[in-house]
Amino acid sequence: MVTDHKQIGEALLQVNNVSLSFGAVQALSDVSFEVREHEILAIIGPNGAGKSSMLNVINGFYTANEGSIVYKGISRAKMEPADVARNGVSRTFQNIALFRGMTTLDNIMTGRNTKMHRNFIWQAIYIGPARNEELEHRRKAEEIIDFLEIQAIRKTPVGRLPYGLQKRVELGRALAAEPELLLLDEPMAGMNTEEKEDMCRFILDVNEEFGTTIALIEHDMGVVMDISDRVVVLDYGRKIADGSPDEVRGNQSVIDAYLGVSRE
Amino acid sequence: MDFLYSVTADPVLQIVEDPVFFLQIILEGLMAGVMYSLVALGFCLIYKASGVFNFAQGVMMVLAVMCMVTVYDAGFGILLALLVAMVFMVGLSFAIERVVLRPMVNQPQIILFMATIGLAFFLEGFGEFIFGGSSQKIVPTEALHIGRDALLIPMFGSEIRLQQLDLTAGVCAALLVATLALFFQKTTVGRALRAVADDHQAALSVGIPLRSMWVIVWSVAGLVALVTGIMWGASSSVDFSLVLIAMKAFPVLILGGFTSVPGVIVGGLIIGVGEKVAELYWGDALGGSIEEWFAYVLALVFLMFRPQGLFGEKIIERV
Amino acid sequence: MIYRETGQYKATYGADQQLFPIVQDRYFFFAFMAFLVIYPVFFGSDYLFQVVLYPVLGLGLCALGLNILTGYCGQISLGTGGFMAIGAYSFFKITTIFPDLNILIIFIFAGLISALFGILIGLPSLRIKGFYLAVTTLAAQFFVEWCINRSDWLSNYSPSHTIGAPPRELFGFLVMGPEAPGSAKYLVMLFIVAVMTLFARNLVRGRIGRSWMAIRDMDIAAELIGIRPLFTKLSAFAIGSFYIGVGGAMHVMFNLENVDPEAFEIFSTSFPILFMIMIGGLGSILGAYMGAAFIVLLPVLLRNAFPFLGIDIASHVIQHIEFMLFGGLIVFFLIVEPAGLARLWQILKEKLRQWPFPY
């Protein structure tokens, strides 16, 4: 039963005063915001505002110079990316980062790797426990394939797929891990209107059917305003606004950041 | 206990007892290091300018000097021999560009690397086929005016020996490095080459003629190979076992960073000195001939602490 | 016409996941295996065994190990010869210390020692990639060469550090040593190779194989979806080295029978095995054996072809031609078909599916 009013809960992830620099380049300075359970949060901002860096910090791929990340009530300054993923954070990438040599099915199954536990001796023997585990996860992977309507390309190596489908497979791989927090880095970049509509529908469905919390980076303002519950705006590594789409739309500093401001 | 003594206290005692000998070893190490740097320079050049880690550089070195010596031995003058060898290396560059590199534009670096392993095998077979595999050849040092005497420098009441050949190698290396540095930094071609190394397709799209760039840089590397080959050949003899020595260039490159010319020089010197000192003071305790692997292990340990090499740029990974 | 999968429906995921989903493939495979067992046992000559079958099986297993490491996990290694030496010398030491121990168990131990060493060499792989890693594997190669050249203990104080295959029995049959019948050695090799190949096939289609390929294709993305890079790379190093160690031990004990340290040199061993997987197909199990067969048979063909054509050529010239051919073929394959013979085989099968009506 899908209701119109989602139950947006407590903060699932808090970003506290995070700063990040590469040499002399200050990518993020003193950024704080939170992602609440079951919501869709959009992070927007001009190019180079530090959006992708922000996701990378949340992922543990970059370590913040200052500040901390609190995820599910546990604070951390540094964590291995693999451990972050195992704790229920999965993501897609701005430039598609699929495993090109593998088929769609294998890519999605790889997303479930963290949920599989048979050791390599069982796997070498295969018959028995490893096979059962494999089949059980295949079933789950097929559910995602059905959900994303990519049955026909199940056994196609992803390198051969068109761009829009690759994006979809990448979403599938992220979903396969059954994440609590899904980070989407420009899920609609480079798509045509129809593909964007499809992708929007998938994002909303994921959010409503699985209750997954989503944080996404997107440049298409129409999409952002339509689907997100809340918007965080970054500019030059600083947070300049945080609020509902309507609030952000009217915010003067956001308008300045996007349209430029004349300096007397 | 004996073993511990022989690897810890004993070498230190030996150094203190005979510091002049230690200096001599350091000097010899430095000179050997220059030779390694020369080989590594050829690798570095091609990597810097085309993004290809050319495994065949060692074979090219042997081919170049073989060609020169063969022509000289056939009774032609030394100048003609040098000229023929140069033309041969340039011709080889054209062939490599046409047959290997051109069809592989935009392939991943590791594939290009594997292709150069194939190239190395081909060239070795080819070289042995043409120049004869078994016979060893001698570099005509008199004709090239390379001295073979040792200079004796008095020091602390003792003497240090310095080979003229090593000095020549040092001067050659210095000249080559200076020329190459100027070439890369100051000329249009140098800039274009750096662009090519960064991204083949992007370089093509701004109108850099990829093919001629490749031919140029492989030719230059071929000439460096010729100089290196003459130096190495003069210090021993010319045959294909030199290829194995050329592999010592790899740890040098790792130490110095693949793209840095000064790094190659410093890396070569470190490896040269480290190897000599280790062999003389620790070699016996460990079983002798540790030169065979010492350079690689040194580079490996070094890599653990500084993966990008001494002078390499720190890599920021992005997604 | 014959190779049609029409009508073969799969109702369960289990049926879809099996090794040979197409019935004809399954029949062909079993027929081929039966041929491999029966033909050499009844009609095999010493020449066939020593020139073709032993090297293809022994080196093929090494190629498979390298393919796990390089083809599946993307970690290039130039130290294969070193790992083969570790396997061979470990086997030799263990079997001379415990002469009554079952040789199958010794093979496992030889592989495990090689695997341990592989883990050690793989440790830097977390921080370094590509050629840098390739050079560290060279360190392994030269260090092992040095060890077996320097240590008298490893070869039981043989003057030139030579090791030989001692006579050993398996379940009451003499299967090792100069006196053992050729077909007995062959069957033991075939058995070990078949079992290990099946295990490798299972590994690469399951979780671990997918982790390897994920690291190979896009290591950062793999890490961000929860695959631990160090563990994954080390497992590839361990398992790959295990295979290379066992392969090296078999190659020495069944085929060469007497070797000195020179047999494991980089140019005579490490590179040819790398060539096997490059020609056979990176990331393909079948490809490892196809490549091994190719690299083993090409020199045999050359040596026989020239006399056959009536051309008189000195043997060292043939060797030069061999070098040129190998090198040329590597470049050719990288340009024309980087996925190697295995891919050609696949294309052939796809063509055959539609033959003779391609529409």
PDB file of all heavy atoms in Angstrom, chain B residues 55 114 118 122 128 258 286-289 293 300 304 317 319, chain C residues 127 129 132 136 138 142 146 150 220 271 278 320 324 327 334:
ATOM      1  N   PHE B  55      58.738  -2.376 -23.072  1.00  0.00           N
ATOM      2  CA  PHE B  55      59.555  -3.477 -22.570  1.00  0.00           C
ATOM      3  C   PHE B  55      60.706  -3.784 -23.525  1.00  0.00           C
ATOM      4  O   PHE B  55      61.718  -4.347 -23.127  1.00  0.00           O
ATOM      5  CB  PHE B  55      58.658  -4.701 -22.410  1.00  0.00           C
ATOM      6  CG  PHE B  55      59.290  -5.789 -21.610  1.00  0.00           C
ATOM      7  CD1 PHE B  55      59.245  -5.764 -20.242  1.00  0.00           C
ATOM      8  CD2 PHE B  55      59.946  -6.836 -22.233  1.00  0.00           C
ATOM      9  CE1 PHE B  55      59.839  -6.748 -19.499  1.00  0.00           C
ATOM     10  CE2 PHE B  55      60.547  -7.828 -21.496  1.00  0.00           C
ATOM     11  CZ  PHE B  55      60.492  -7.789 -20.118  1.00  0.00           C
ATOM     12  N   MET B 114      51.921  -5.183 -22.896  1.00  0.00           N
ATOM     13  CA  MET B 114      52.035  -6.574 -23.333  1.00  0.00           C
ATOM     14  C   MET B 114      52.502  -6.634 -24.780  1.00  0.00           C
ATOM     15  O   MET B 114      53.287  -7.504 -25.155  1.00  0.00           O
ATOM     16  CB  MET B 114      50.702  -7.276 -23.178  1.00  0.00           C
ATOM     17  CG  MET B 114      50.302  -7.440 -21.733  1.00  0.00           C
ATOM     18  SD  MET B 114      49.074  -8.719 -21.621  1.00  0.00           S
ATOM     19  CE  MET B 114      48.477  -8.538 -19.980  1.00  0.00           C
ATOM     20  N   GLY B 118      55.763  -8.635 -26.614  1.00  0.00           N
ATOM     21  CA  GLY B 118      55.799  -9.366 -27.874  1.00  0.00           C
ATOM     22  C   GLY B 118      56.852  -8.778 -28.805  1.00  0.00           C
ATOM     23  O   GLY B 118      57.638  -9.510 -29.415  1.00  0.00           O
ATOM     24  N   PHE B 122      60.088 -10.475 -30.595  1.00  0.00           N
ATOM     25  CA  PHE B 122      60.279 -10.428 -32.042  1.00  0.00           C
ATOM     26  C   PHE B 122      61.636  -9.837 -32.385  1.00  0.00           C
ATOM     27  O   PHE B 122      62.399 -10.405 -33.173  1.00  0.00           O
ATOM     28  CB  PHE B 122      59.167  -9.595 -32.693  1.00  0.00           C
ATOM     29  CG  PHE B 122      59.340  -9.466 -34.170  1.00  0.00           C
ATOM     30  CD1 PHE B 122      58.898 -10.473 -35.014  1.00  0.00           C
ATOM     31  CD2 PHE B 122      59.962  -8.366 -34.721  1.00  0.00           C
ATOM     32  CE1 PHE B 122      59.077 -10.369 -36.372  1.00  0.00           C
ATOM     33  CE2 PHE B 122      60.143  -8.255 -36.086  1.00  0.00           C
ATOM     34  CZ  PHE B 122      59.695  -9.270 -36.915  1.00  0.00           C
ATOM     35  N   GLU B 128      68.960 -11.709 -33.603  1.00  0.00           N
ATOM     36  CA  GLU B 128      69.823 -12.886 -33.638  1.00  0.00           C
ATOM     37  C   GLU B 128      69.852 -13.490 -35.031  1.00  0.00           C
ATOM     38  O   GLU B 128      70.867 -14.002 -35.483  1.00  0.00           O
ATOM     39  CB  GLU B 128      69.332 -13.912 -32.607  1.00  0.00           C
ATOM     40  CG  GLU B 128      69.542 -13.430 -31.179  1.00  0.00           C
ATOM     41  CD  GLU B 128      69.178 -14.483 -30.151  1.00  0.00           C
ATOM     42  OE1 GLU B 128      68.359 -15.353 -30.482  1.00  0.00           O
ATOM     43  OE2 GLU B 128      69.708 -14.407 -29.035  1.00  0.00           O
ATOM     44  N   PHE B 258      57.999   7.020 -13.116  1.00  0.00           N
ATOM     45  CA  PHE B 258      58.133   6.714 -14.537  1.00  0.00           C
ATOM     46  C   PHE B 258      58.325   7.941 -15.410  1.00  0.00           C
ATOM     47  O   PHE B 258      58.850   7.855 -16.493  1.00  0.00           O
ATOM     48  CB  PHE B 258      56.882   5.970 -15.031  1.00  0.00           C
ATOM     49  CG  PHE B 258      56.925   4.510 -14.765  1.00  0.00           C
ATOM     50  CD1 PHE B 258      56.697   4.026 -13.498  1.00  0.00           C
ATOM     51  CD2 PHE B 258      57.203   3.617 -15.769  1.00  0.00           C
ATOM     52  CE1 PHE B 258      56.738   2.676 -13.242  1.00  0.00           C
ATOM     53  CE2 PHE B 258      57.241   2.260 -15.535  1.00  0.00           C
ATOM     54  CZ  PHE B 258      57.010   1.793 -14.267  1.00  0.00           C
ATOM     55  N   LEU B 286      74.709 -13.269   3.287  1.00  0.00           N
ATOM     56  CA  LEU B 286      73.420 -13.771   2.804  1.00  0.00           C
ATOM     57  C   LEU B 286      73.584 -14.869   1.760  1.00  0.00           C
ATOM     58  O   LEU B 286      72.611 -15.468   1.331  1.00  0.00           O
ATOM     59  CB  LEU B 286      72.605 -12.625   2.208  1.00  0.00           C
ATOM     60  CG  LEU B 286      72.147 -11.563   3.213  1.00  0.00           C
ATOM     61  CD1 LEU B 286      71.500 -10.402   2.489  1.00  0.00           C
ATOM     62  CD2 LEU B 286      71.159 -12.158   4.194  1.00  0.00           C
ATOM     63  N   GLY B 287      74.780 -15.109   1.304  1.00  0.00           N
ATOM     64  CA  GLY B 287      74.966 -16.202   0.356  1.00  0.00           C
ATOM     65  C   GLY B 287      75.516 -15.790  -0.987  1.00  0.00           C
ATOM     66  O   GLY B 287      75.630 -16.605  -1.884  1.00  0.00           O
ATOM     67  N   GLY B 288      75.872 -14.530  -1.162  1.00  0.00           N
ATOM     68  CA  GLY B 288      76.539 -14.102  -2.386  1.00  0.00           C
ATOM     69  C   GLY B 288      75.604 -13.778  -3.537  1.00  0.00           C
ATOM     70  O   GLY B 288      74.453 -14.222  -3.573  1.00  0.00           O
ATOM     71  N   SER B 289      76.103 -12.950  -4.469  1.00  0.00           N
ATOM     72  CA  SER B 289      75.354 -12.553  -5.668  1.00  0.00           C
ATOM     73  C   SER B 289      73.981 -11.979  -5.366  1.00  0.00           C
ATOM     74  O   SER B 289      73.032 -12.221  -6.104  1.00  0.00           O
ATOM     75  CB  SER B 289      75.168 -13.732  -6.628  1.00  0.00           C
ATOM     76  OG  SER B 289      76.386 -14.163  -7.105  1.00  0.00           O
ATOM     77  N   TRP B 293      68.911  -9.760  -7.142  1.00  0.00           N
ATOM     78  CA  TRP B 293      67.552  -9.349  -6.767  1.00  0.00           C
ATOM     79  C   TRP B 293      67.503  -8.102  -5.914  1.00  0.00           C
ATOM     80  O   TRP B 293      66.441  -7.531  -5.689  1.00  0.00           O
ATOM     81  CB  TRP B 293      66.817 -10.484  -6.046  1.00  0.00           C
ATOM     82  CG  TRP B 293      67.587 -11.075  -4.895  1.00  0.00           C
ATOM     83  CD1 TRP B 293      68.388 -12.170  -4.942  1.00  0.00           C
ATOM     84  CD2 TRP B 293      67.637 -10.610  -3.539  1.00  0.00           C
ATOM     85  NE1 TRP B 293      68.938 -12.415  -3.716  1.00  0.00           N
ATOM     86  CE2 TRP B 293      68.488 -11.474  -2.830  1.00  0.00           C
ATOM     87  CE3 TRP B 293      67.034  -9.554  -2.856  1.00  0.00           C
ATOM     88  CZ2 TRP B 293      68.770 -11.321  -1.473  1.00  0.00           C
ATOM     89  CZ3 TRP B 293      67.311  -9.398  -1.510  1.00  0.00           C
ATOM     90  CH2 TRP B 293      68.175 -10.273  -0.833  1.00  0.00           C
ATOM     91  N   LEU B 300      60.873  -2.468  -4.310  1.00  0.00           N
ATOM     92  CA  LEU B 300      59.607  -2.956  -3.761  1.00  0.00           C
ATOM     93  C   LEU B 300      59.351  -2.349  -2.390  1.00  0.00           C
ATOM     94  O   LEU B 300      58.252  -1.847  -2.102  1.00  0.00           O
ATOM     95  CB  LEU B 300      59.695  -4.482  -3.658  1.00  0.00           C
ATOM     96  CG  LEU B 300      58.500  -5.220  -3.130  1.00  0.00           C
ATOM     97  CD1 LEU B 300      57.339  -4.976  -4.045  1.00  0.00           C
ATOM     98  CD2 LEU B 300      58.788  -6.694  -3.056  1.00  0.00           C
ATOM     99  N   MET B 304      56.289   0.540  -1.133  1.00  0.00           N
ATOM    100  CA  MET B 304      55.308   0.419  -0.064  1.00  0.00           C
ATOM    101  C   MET B 304      55.091   1.771   0.617  1.00  0.00           C
ATOM    102  O   MET B 304      54.017   2.067   1.115  1.00  0.00           O
ATOM    103  CB  MET B 304      55.768  -0.589   0.986  1.00  0.00           C
ATOM    104  CG  MET B 304      55.990  -1.978   0.450  1.00  0.00           C
ATOM    105  SD  MET B 304      54.468  -2.755  -0.041  1.00  0.00           S
ATOM    106  CE  MET B 304      53.839  -3.282   1.536  1.00  0.00           C
ATOM    107  N   GLU B 317      42.776   9.867  -6.939  1.00  0.00           N
ATOM    108  CA  GLU B 317      41.829   9.074  -7.702  1.00  0.00           C
ATOM    109  C   GLU B 317      40.447   9.709  -7.618  1.00  0.00           C
ATOM    110  O   GLU B 317      40.062  10.255  -6.598  1.00  0.00           O
ATOM    111  CB  GLU B 317      41.805   7.648  -7.165  1.00  0.00           C
ATOM    112  CG  GLU B 317      43.026   6.886  -7.614  1.00  0.00           C
ATOM    113  CD  GLU B 317      43.043   5.480  -7.081  1.00  0.00           C
ATOM    114  OE1 GLU B 317      43.063   5.319  -5.861  1.00  0.00           O
ATOM    115  OE2 GLU B 317      43.029   4.567  -7.893  1.00  0.00           O
ATOM    116  N   VAL B 319      36.168   9.441  -8.842  1.00  0.00           N
ATOM    117  CA  VAL B 319      35.113   8.634  -9.445  1.00  0.00           C
ATOM    118  C   VAL B 319      34.013   9.533  -9.925  1.00  0.00           C
ATOM    119  O   VAL B 319      33.849  10.628  -9.415  1.00  0.00           O
ATOM    120  CB  VAL B 319      34.493   7.605  -8.470  1.00  0.00           C
ATOM    121  CG1 VAL B 319      35.299   6.337  -8.501  1.00  0.00           C
ATOM    122  CG2 VAL B 319      34.383   8.162  -7.098  1.00  0.00           C
TER     123      VAL B 319
ATOM    124  N   ARG C 127      48.610  -1.136  -2.771  1.00  0.00           N
ATOM    125  CA  ARG C 127      49.026   0.241  -2.994  1.00  0.00           C
ATOM    126  C   ARG C 127      49.513   0.483  -4.406  1.00  0.00           C
ATOM    127  O   ARG C 127      49.559   1.627  -4.853  1.00  0.00           O
ATOM    128  CB  ARG C 127      50.130   0.615  -2.005  1.00  0.00           C
ATOM    129  CG  ARG C 127      49.645   0.514  -0.567  1.00  0.00           C
ATOM    130  CD  ARG C 127      50.481   1.350   0.357  1.00  0.00           C
ATOM    131  NE  ARG C 127      50.498   2.746  -0.058  1.00  0.00           N
ATOM    132  CZ  ARG C 127      51.182   3.667   0.588  1.00  0.00           C
ATOM    133  NH1 ARG C 127      51.885   3.350   1.633  1.00  0.00           N
ATOM    134  NH2 ARG C 127      51.163   4.910   0.177  1.00  0.00           N
ATOM    135  N   LYS C 129      49.819  -0.544  -8.690  1.00  0.00           N
ATOM    136  CA  LYS C 129      49.040  -1.154  -9.768  1.00  0.00           C
ATOM    137  C   LYS C 129      49.858  -1.228 -11.048  1.00  0.00           C
ATOM    138  O   LYS C 129      50.895  -0.603 -11.169  1.00  0.00           O
ATOM    139  CB  LYS C 129      47.795  -0.295 -10.035  1.00  0.00           C
ATOM    140  CG  LYS C 129      46.835  -0.297  -8.873  1.00  0.00           C
ATOM    141  CD  LYS C 129      45.747   0.725  -9.081  1.00  0.00           C
ATOM    142  CE  LYS C 129      44.872   0.771  -7.825  1.00  0.00           C
ATOM    143  NZ  LYS C 129      43.959   1.893  -7.844  1.00  0.00           N
ATOM    144  N   TYR C 132      53.900  -1.159 -12.120  1.00  0.00           N
ATOM    145  CA  TYR C 132      54.612  -1.138 -10.856  1.00  0.00           C
ATOM    146  C   TYR C 132      54.520  -2.503 -10.203  1.00  0.00           C
ATOM    147  O   TYR C 132      55.494  -3.046  -9.699  1.00  0.00           O
ATOM    148  CB  TYR C 132      54.008  -0.083  -9.927  1.00  0.00           C
ATOM    149  CG  TYR C 132      54.355   1.333 -10.291  1.00  0.00           C
ATOM    150  CD1 TYR C 132      53.695   1.995 -11.297  1.00  0.00           C
ATOM    151  CD2 TYR C 132      55.364   1.992  -9.615  1.00  0.00           C
ATOM    152  CE1 TYR C 132      54.022   3.291 -11.627  1.00  0.00           C
ATOM    153  CE2 TYR C 132      55.700   3.296  -9.933  1.00  0.00           C
ATOM    154  CZ  TYR C 132      55.022   3.946 -10.945  1.00  0.00           C
ATOM    155  OH  TYR C 132      55.359   5.231 -11.276  1.00  0.00           O
ATOM    156  N   THR C 136      57.300  -5.646  -9.259  1.00  0.00           N
ATOM    157  CA  THR C 136      57.490  -6.337  -7.983  1.00  0.00           C
ATOM    158  C   THR C 136      57.431  -7.848  -8.173  1.00  0.00           C
ATOM    159  O   THR C 136      58.106  -8.594  -7.458  1.00  0.00           O
ATOM    160  CB  THR C 136      56.444  -5.933  -6.943  1.00  0.00           C
ATOM    161  OG1 THR C 136      55.190  -6.435  -7.348  1.00  0.00           O
ATOM    162  CG2 THR C 136      56.390  -4.455  -6.745  1.00  0.00           C
ATOM    163  N   LEU C 138      58.655  -9.268 -10.659  1.00  0.00           N
ATOM    164  CA  LEU C 138      60.012  -9.584 -11.117  1.00  0.00           C
ATOM    165  C   LEU C 138      60.917  -9.824  -9.917  1.00  0.00           C
ATOM    166  O   LEU C 138      61.798 -10.690  -9.945  1.00  0.00           O
ATOM    167  CB  LEU C 138      60.585  -8.426 -11.932  1.00  0.00           C
ATOM    168  CG  LEU C 138      60.215  -8.341 -13.395  1.00  0.00           C
ATOM    169  CD1 LEU C 138      60.902  -7.156 -14.022  1.00  0.00           C
ATOM    170  CD2 LEU C 138      60.622  -9.605 -14.104  1.00  0.00           C
ATOM    171  N   PHE C 142      63.318 -13.108  -9.546  1.00  0.00           N
ATOM    172  CA  PHE C 142      64.772 -13.134  -9.397  1.00  0.00           C
ATOM    173  C   PHE C 142      65.183 -13.641  -8.023  1.00  0.00           C
ATOM    174  O   PHE C 142      66.202 -14.297  -7.880  1.00  0.00           O
ATOM    175  CB  PHE C 142      65.367 -11.748  -9.672  1.00  0.00           C
ATOM    176  CG  PHE C 142      65.265 -11.371 -11.123  1.00  0.00           C
ATOM    177  CD1 PHE C 142      64.591 -10.236 -11.530  1.00  0.00           C
ATOM    178  CD2 PHE C 142      65.831 -12.185 -12.090  1.00  0.00           C
ATOM    179  CE1 PHE C 142      64.494  -9.912 -12.860  1.00  0.00           C
ATOM    180  CE2 PHE C 142      65.730 -11.867 -13.432  1.00  0.00           C
ATOM    181  CZ  PHE C 142      65.056 -10.729 -13.816  1.00  0.00           C
ATOM    182  N   TRP C 146      67.487 -16.898  -7.430  1.00  0.00           N
ATOM    183  CA  TRP C 146      68.694 -16.791  -6.608  1.00  0.00           C
ATOM    184  C   TRP C 146      68.686 -17.861  -5.513  1.00  0.00           C
ATOM    185  O   TRP C 146      69.685 -18.533  -5.287  1.00  0.00           O
ATOM    186  CB  TRP C 146      68.748 -15.381  -6.001  1.00  0.00           C
ATOM    187  CG  TRP C 146      69.887 -15.129  -5.081  1.00  0.00           C
ATOM    188  CD1 TRP C 146      71.161 -14.817  -5.433  1.00  0.00           C
ATOM    189  CD2 TRP C 146      69.859 -15.160  -3.659  1.00  0.00           C
ATOM    190  NE1 TRP C 146      71.926 -14.647  -4.314  1.00  0.00           N
ATOM    191  CE2 TRP C 146      71.154 -14.859  -3.212  1.00  0.00           C
ATOM    192  CE3 TRP C 146      68.856 -15.413  -2.712  1.00  0.00           C
ATOM    193  CZ2 TRP C 146      71.482 -14.796  -1.864  1.00  0.00           C
ATOM    194  CZ3 TRP C 146      69.175 -15.362  -1.375  1.00  0.00           C
ATOM    195  CH2 TRP C 146      70.486 -15.056  -0.960  1.00  0.00           C
ATOM    196  N   ARG C 150      71.372 -20.842  -4.941  1.00  0.00           N
ATOM    197  CA  ARG C 150      72.308 -20.684  -3.838  1.00  0.00           C
ATOM    198  C   ARG C 150      72.164 -21.761  -2.778  1.00  0.00           C
ATOM    199  O   ARG C 150      73.122 -22.075  -2.082  1.00  0.00           O
ATOM    200  CB  ARG C 150      72.087 -19.329  -3.154  1.00  0.00           C
ATOM    201  CG  ARG C 150      72.427 -18.162  -4.021  1.00  0.00           C
ATOM    202  CD  ARG C 150      73.914 -17.937  -4.061  1.00  0.00           C
ATOM    203  NE  ARG C 150      74.258 -17.448  -5.390  1.00  0.00           N
ATOM    204  CZ  ARG C 150      75.482 -17.302  -5.830  1.00  0.00           C
ATOM    205  NH1 ARG C 150      76.505 -17.619  -5.053  1.00  0.00           N
ATOM    206  NH2 ARG C 150      75.705 -16.870  -7.050  1.00  0.00           N
ATOM    207  N   ILE C 220      37.915   0.889  -8.267  1.00  0.00           N
ATOM    208  CA  ILE C 220      37.347   1.832  -7.308  1.00  0.00           C
ATOM    209  C   ILE C 220      35.868   1.552  -7.088  1.00  0.00           C
ATOM    210  O   ILE C 220      35.392   1.492  -5.952  1.00  0.00           O
ATOM    211  CB  ILE C 220      37.549   3.274  -7.813  1.00  0.00           C
ATOM    212  CG1 ILE C 220      39.044   3.577  -7.844  1.00  0.00           C
ATOM    213  CG2 ILE C 220      36.846   4.261  -6.921  1.00  0.00           C
ATOM    214  CD1 ILE C 220      39.372   4.871  -8.519  1.00  0.00           C
ATOM    215  N   PHE C 271      57.655 -15.713 -19.470  1.00  0.00           N
ATOM    216  CA  PHE C 271      57.036 -15.049 -20.613  1.00  0.00           C
ATOM    217  C   PHE C 271      56.228 -16.003 -21.488  1.00  0.00           C
ATOM    218  O   PHE C 271      55.098 -15.671 -21.855  1.00  0.00           O
ATOM    219  CB  PHE C 271      58.084 -14.300 -21.430  1.00  0.00           C
ATOM    220  CG  PHE C 271      58.494 -13.013 -20.785  1.00  0.00           C
ATOM    221  CD1 PHE C 271      59.805 -12.739 -20.503  1.00  0.00           C
ATOM    222  CD2 PHE C 271      57.535 -12.081 -20.436  1.00  0.00           C
ATOM    223  CE1 PHE C 271      60.174 -11.552 -19.882  1.00  0.00           C
ATOM    224  CE2 PHE C 271      57.884 -10.894 -19.807  1.00  0.00           C
ATOM    225  CZ  PHE C 271      59.209 -10.634 -19.540  1.00  0.00           C
ATOM    226  N   MET C 278      47.781 -14.775 -23.226  1.00  0.00           N
ATOM    227  CA  MET C 278      47.463 -13.681 -24.141  1.00  0.00           C
ATOM    228  C   MET C 278      46.934 -14.225 -25.469  1.00  0.00           C
ATOM    229  O   MET C 278      46.007 -13.664 -26.054  1.00  0.00           O
ATOM    230  CB  MET C 278      48.696 -12.814 -24.374  1.00  0.00           C
ATOM    231  CG  MET C 278      48.956 -11.889 -23.193  1.00  0.00           C
ATOM    232  SD  MET C 278      50.663 -11.363 -23.092  1.00  0.00           S
ATOM    233  CE  MET C 278      50.744 -10.193 -24.401  1.00  0.00           C
ATOM    234  N   HIS C 320      65.463 -18.806 -33.558  1.00  0.00           N
ATOM    235  CA  HIS C 320      65.278 -17.378 -33.819  1.00  0.00           C
ATOM    236  C   HIS C 320      63.931 -17.128 -34.480  1.00  0.00           C
ATOM    237  O   HIS C 320      63.214 -16.191 -34.131  1.00  0.00           O
ATOM    238  CB  HIS C 320      66.403 -16.851 -34.726  1.00  0.00           C
ATOM    239  CG  HIS C 320      67.765 -17.038 -34.140  1.00  0.00           C
ATOM    240  ND1 HIS C 320      68.916 -16.983 -34.892  1.00  0.00           N
ATOM    241  CD2 HIS C 320      68.161 -17.294 -32.879  1.00  0.00           C
ATOM    242  CE1 HIS C 320      69.946 -17.199 -34.113  1.00  0.00           C
ATOM    243  NE2 HIS C 320      69.519 -17.390 -32.888  1.00  0.00           N
ATOM    244  N   MET C 324      60.713 -14.845 -33.248  1.00  0.00           N
ATOM    245  CA  MET C 324      60.052 -13.839 -34.063  1.00  0.00           C
ATOM    246  C   MET C 324      58.566 -14.151 -34.206  1.00  0.00           C
ATOM    247  O   MET C 324      57.721 -13.268 -34.118  1.00  0.00           O
ATOM    248  CB  MET C 324      60.715 -13.769 -35.443  1.00  0.00           C
ATOM    249  CG  MET C 324      62.059 -13.069 -35.415  1.00  0.00           C
ATOM    250  SD  MET C 324      63.066 -13.413 -36.856  1.00  0.00           S
ATOM    251  CE  MET C 324      62.216 -12.508 -38.114  1.00  0.00           C
ATOM    252  N   GLY C 327      56.704 -13.415 -30.857  1.00  0.00           N
ATOM    253  CA  GLY C 327      56.548 -11.975 -30.689  1.00  0.00           C
ATOM    254  C   GLY C 327      55.527 -11.413 -31.658  1.00  0.00           C
ATOM    255  O   GLY C 327      54.621 -10.674 -31.271  1.00  0.00           O
ATOM    256  N   LEU C 334      46.947  -9.188 -30.071  1.00  0.00           N
ATOM    257  CA  LEU C 334      46.507  -8.016 -29.311  1.00  0.00           C
ATOM    258  C   LEU C 334      45.782  -7.034 -30.211  1.00  0.00           C
ATOM    259  O   LEU C 334      44.850  -6.364 -29.805  1.00  0.00           O
ATOM    260  CB  LEU C 334      47.703  -7.340 -28.649  1.00  0.00           C
ATOM    261  CG  LEU C 334      48.233  -8.061 -27.418  1.00  0.00           C
ATOM    262  CD1 LEU C 334      49.486  -7.396 -26.910  1.00  0.00           C
ATOM    263  CD2 LEU C 334      47.177  -8.090 -26.325  1.00  0.00           C
TER     264      LEU C 334
END
